[in-house]
Amino acid sequence: MPKLKTRKAAAKRYKITGTNNFLRRHAYRGHLLMKKSNKQKRKLSQVLCVNKSDKAPIKLMLPY
């Protein structure tokens, strides 16, 4: 059986943890930061885990 290809776009956006969870960054942190409060920017800079309902498609995109 041939090897599965990794989706490179997903590989750049998600990181797998030791417990098979996926880490992702927040959106809305790229530009227009002057109008956002410091609290909002601080919250957006944190890394968080992906929901269980979104895990299955990411697992297909990142097989290894």
Side-chain angles (χ1 to χ4, degrees):
M1 189 164 166
K3 293 171 78 173
L4 297 172
K5 287 190 174 181
T6 299
R7 302 289 176 118
K8 290 301 184 180
K12 293 170 189 171
R13 287 169 173 79
Y14 301 105
K15 182 183 178 211
I16 191 164
T17 63
T19 56
N20 286 334
N21 289 326
F22 292 100
L23 298 178
R24 70 170 178 88
R25 296 183 61 93
H26 279 280
Y28 305 109
R29 180 77 165 108
H31 59 91
L32 300 176
L33 297 175
M34 291 287 289
K35 62 174 82 172
K36 294 181 176 100
S37 67
N38 286 335
K39 180 181 177 182
Q40 185 180 8
K41 288 186 278 192
R42 195 166 52 245
K43 297 272 187 182
L44 290 176
S45 68
Q46 296 172 351
V47 177
L48 66 152
C49 286
V50 173
N51 285 338
K52 289 183 180 179
S53 60
D54 296 329
K55 260 174 117 171
I58 297 171
K59 201 152 184 71
L60 291 175
M61 290 188 273
L62 299 173
Y64 303 111

